[in-house]
Amino acid sequence: MEAAEFRRRGKEMVDLIADYLENIEQRPVYPDVEPGYLRSLIPEEAPEEPDTYEDVVKDIERVIMPGVTHWHSPYFYAYFPTANSFPAMLADMLSGAIGCIGFSWAASPACTELETVMMDWLGKMLKLPEDFIAGTHGQGGGVIQGTASEATLVALLAARSRAVRMILASDPQRPETGITSKLVAYSSDQAHCSVERAGMIAGVRMKKIPTEQSDKYAVQGETLRRMIQEDKAAGLIPFYFCATLGTTPSCAFDHITELGPICNAEKIWMHIDAAYAGSSFICPEFRPLLNGIEFADSFNFNPHKWLLVNFDCSTMWVRKRSDLIGAFKMDPLYLKHDHQESGRYFYTDNSLFRSLKMWFVFRMYGLKGLQDYIRKHVELAKEFESLVRADQRFEISADVVLGLVCFRLKGSNEVNETLLKRINNGRKIHLVPCQLSGQFVLRFAVCARTTESRHIREAWRLITQLAEEVMQDVTKLKVRM
Ligand code: PLP
């Protein structure tokens, strides 16, 4: 394809995208296909001779769309949101065209510099402590990762490296393997599974801290303190704690104002995973949820979840860049350049120009536009919560703080599982469950940029209609027995 055709096809593609997104709610949100559906629709091998562009585009509706779960449909309420906005998509096009890989300043100065400055902009929007802002002379700063899972792992590896260095400094004869085999990390039993997996990848023990419904599923300082004391008494070395702000099951918030000082006193690296909830901290009314950040060594959240920056863009800040640089520094000759000395950049990842998406979105929405967007989602979640609370057959299973509502029919887990199955089989709306205190709970997360009150009311109409049917079936079964 030459530039002249690209101009034409590019405009057609923009139309196709706009049509898709404008009409998305007419499509069933969840696909009606069986595993392996796609293989039979396309050849076993890549074409020897080139296909035409028209043929490729025709296959979007024939091959791809039948198997797409439409995350940007206003009827999508599963998982947590994934961001999508036109400015971010346009920036992604430009990023693809520039196509640089920003592993060092010299690899593309604008790429690394914009990333550092955008991380400062965002850090200031969140009112992060000064320690986390790079500026021109700061010791800390931010770097974009692909996912929150990566950020958790990067923090864990940096913490492991720091712990080993600290112990060797006071006991140089101690064998390194003897240290790593004693290391122990902690996270909540509500933490995302990526935290446990990070422990597996890093080859360190990861202990889950139990939480209780009565404490709103938040890790309590006393519980962490007790586990640390027990582990130290057993000869283990506590070195890392991953706190969660906005857990995946119920959007619970660990008490970092209480947990942070314990970690600091024990020289334990505290990482904060706020993958979903982090975006809300740009609103002054939600910022108190981040109080205690001043005790953290690293903090991460996903603008690609809730801040209108398309995947992938997971922002991670550290108090001391040297902790990351020290852990992962590689120095081959081909990466050396004339401006090495500044040490301002600490890219651990071969990213495309991801900061361009942030720059476009932040400028075109402004802080106010982004705050309005977050507030609207929270209001929609509160509207859904009110509908649930007004229906005696249902109960709310966890506090609704942001855009997630956890709810269930009063009754058995089986009844709720049947309800969810029928909801998803209908393909009009899509939800996923979670388990809270042994109960099967339905999660309703406001996700799409275009969700309005009418979608929420329509979703509730469908849910209650199906609930009525499920309850009638249960009654019939009981009568028969
Ligand atoms: N942490 C939390 C609290 C999450 O809710 C999620 C995903 O929803 C993740 C981590 C994983 O995020 P990612 O897919 O960016 O790795």
Side-chain angles (χ1 to χ4, degrees):
M1 188 182 287
E2 299 300 328
E5 189 185 355
F6 176 69
R7 283 177 201 280
R8 187 156 57 87
R9 299 306 191 187
K11 284 163 193 147
E12 288 170 12
M13 181 54 80
V14 167
D15 280 340
L16 187 151
I17 292 167
D19 287 345
Y20 166 67
L21 289 172
E22 274 184 351
N23 299 305
I24 198 167
E25 68 181 82
Q26 265 94 58
R27 295 177 185 261
V29 65
Y30 193 70
D32 188 8
V33 291
E34 294 298 321
Y37 90 95
L38 189 141
R39 190 173 277 280
S40 63
L41 296 178
I42 58 174
E44 286 290 325
E45 278 159 37
E48 189 79 25
E49 298 295 329
D51 282 344
T52 64
Y53 182 75
E54 283 88 347
D55 285 341
V56 177
V57 168
K58 245 187 267 157
D59 280 351
I60 296 173
E61 278 304 327
R62 186 182 70 87
V63 179
I64 304 300
M65 286 301 172
V68 171
T69 302
H70 298 286
W71 281 61
H72 301 290
S73 163
Y75 292 117
F76 182 90
Y77 303 108
Y79 316 111
F80 275 138
T82 189
N84 180 292
S85 72
F86 293 118
M89 282 184 257
L90 291 173
D92 251 350
M93 280 175 73
L94 180 59
S95 164
I98 295 173
C100 62
I101 302 183
F103 46 69
S104 75
W105 182 85
S108 202
C111 180
T112 49
E113 294 207 11
L114 189 67
E115 182 162 331
T116 306
V117 179
M118 285 307 100
M119 292 300 293
D120 278 1
W121 276 20
L122 185 53
K124 288 175 189 172
M125 285 188 218
L126 295 164
K127 306 243 178 310
L128 290 186
E130 200 53 39
D131 288 358
F132 289 92
I133 305 296
T136 47
H137 296 97
Q139 302 294 307
V143 62
I144 306 175
Q145 305 288 346
T147 61
S149 312
E150 271 174 59
T152 302
L153 176 63
V154 165
L156 179 67
L157 295 174
R160 188 183 68 180
S161 160
R162 188 180 78 175
V164 170
R165 265 185 284 128
M166 273 180 349
I167 293 165
L168 286 179
S170 60
D171 185 2
Q173 304 309 321
R174 196 163 167 179
E176 201 171 315
T177 48
I179 302 172
T180 47
S181 64
K182 297 282 179 205
L183 292 175
V184 55
Y186 306 93
S187 72
S188 160
D189 63 1
Q190 301 292 307
H192 190 261
C193 59
S194 54
V195 181
E196 191 177 351
R197 192 173 48 211
M200 288 164 75
I201 296 171
V204 294
R205 264 182 210 85
M206 175 71 71
K207 291 199 173 178
K208 289 186 187 174
I209 306 172
T211 58
E212 303 284 343
Q213 184 172 21
S214 53
D215 297 325
K216 303 183 177 194
Y217 302 107
V219 170
Q220 304 297 299
E222 223 11 77
T223 321
L224 175 65
R225 201 192 306 273
R226 200 179 49 246
M227 286 177 75
I228 292 171
Q229 294 317 329
E230 285 169 7
D231 285 339
K232 280 171 49 175
L236 297 179
I237 308 167
F239 80 105
Y240 177 83
F241 168 58
C242 177
T244 311
L245 296 181
T247 59
T248 319
S250 68
C251 203
F253 291 80
D254 288 339
H255 295 164
I256 53 172
T257 44
E258 213 180 297
L259 299 160
I262 300 172
C263 292
N264 287 183
E266 298 286 345
K267 297 195 171 49
I268 292 174
W269 181 299
M270 182 164 83
H271 174 69
I272 299 175
D273 171 11
Y276 162 69
S279 298
S280 73
F281 305 151
I282 63 165
C283 299
E285 66 273 33
F286 301 123
R287 176 58 179 76
L289 294 166
L290 187 59
N291 287 352
I293 173 75
E294 58 276 16
F295 302 110
D297 293 280
S298 54
F299 165 64
N300 166 256
F301 83 97
N302 287 349
H304 73 229
K305 275 192 162 43
W306 204 14
L307 211 58
L308 294 162
V309 182
N310 285 46
F311 189 83
D312 57 352
C313 182
S314 183
T315 45
M316 176 184 189
W317 288 263
V318 284
R319 178 182 298 282
K320 277 174 78 185
R321 288 198 304 272
S322 57
D323 282 336
L324 282 198
I325 295 168
F328 307 121
K329 195 169 169 56
M330 290 287 146
D331 223 3
L333 192 57
Y334 51 81
L335 288 185
K336 290 199 189 309
H337 55 83
D338 292 343
H339 301 279
Q340 204 88 13
E341 77 292 342
S342 78
R344 242 182 305 150
Y345 307 103
F346 60 114
Y347 300 94
T348 53
D349 210 7
N350 291 346
S351 80
L352 276 179
F353 213 157
R354 290 187 283 212
S355 55
L356 268 181
K357 296 183 279 200
M358 298 168 78
W359 196 47
F360 275 45
V361 169
F362 295 167
R363 294 181 67 186
M364 296 194 63
Y365 279 86
L367 177 57
K368 283 209 172 99
L370 295 170
Q371 289 170 335
D372 288 348
Y373 179 65
I374 297 285
R375 286 175 181 140
K376 183 174 169 194
H377 273 200
V378 178
E379 270 169 33
L380 290 170
K382 296 276 180 199
E383 181 178 347
F384 185 80
E385 180 191 10
S386 310
L387 293 168
V388 177
R389 286 197 188 278
D391 190 323
Q392 294 302 308
R393 297 168 299 177
F394 287 88
E395 61 192 1
I396 292 287
S397 306
D399 281 5
V400 179
V401 182
L402 299 173
L404 175 69
V405 184
C406 290
F407 72 108
R408 68 195 303 279
L409 270 172
K410 290 173 187 162
S412 68
N413 283 348
E414 291 70 28
V415 165
N416 281 284
E417 280 177 46
T418 308
L419 173 61
L420 183 65
K421 214 172 257 166
R422 293 202 190 170
I423 290 171
N424 286 334
N425 285 348
R427 301 178 204 288
K428 174 76 180 169
I429 60 174
H430 189 48
L431 277 70
V432 293
C434 68
Q435 205 180 50
L436 292 173
S437 306
Q439 290 196 318
F440 186 92
V441 169
L442 282 70
R443 291 170 80 267
F444 184 96
V446 178
C447 286
R449 179 173 49 83
T450 53
T451 308
E452 299 288 346
S453 174
R454 69 181 170 87
H455 301 111
I456 301 290
R457 281 180 277 118
E458 174 62 6
W460 181 242
R461 194 190 63 73
L462 274 166
I463 292 168
T464 46
Q465 182 188 321
L466 291 168
E468 187 65 46
E469 288 172 23
V470 169
M471 288 167 87
Q472 278 174 9
D473 289 353
V474 171
T475 317
K476 272 187 224 155
L477 262 178
K478 276 191 189 150
V479 170
R480 255 186 250 148
M481 288 191 323

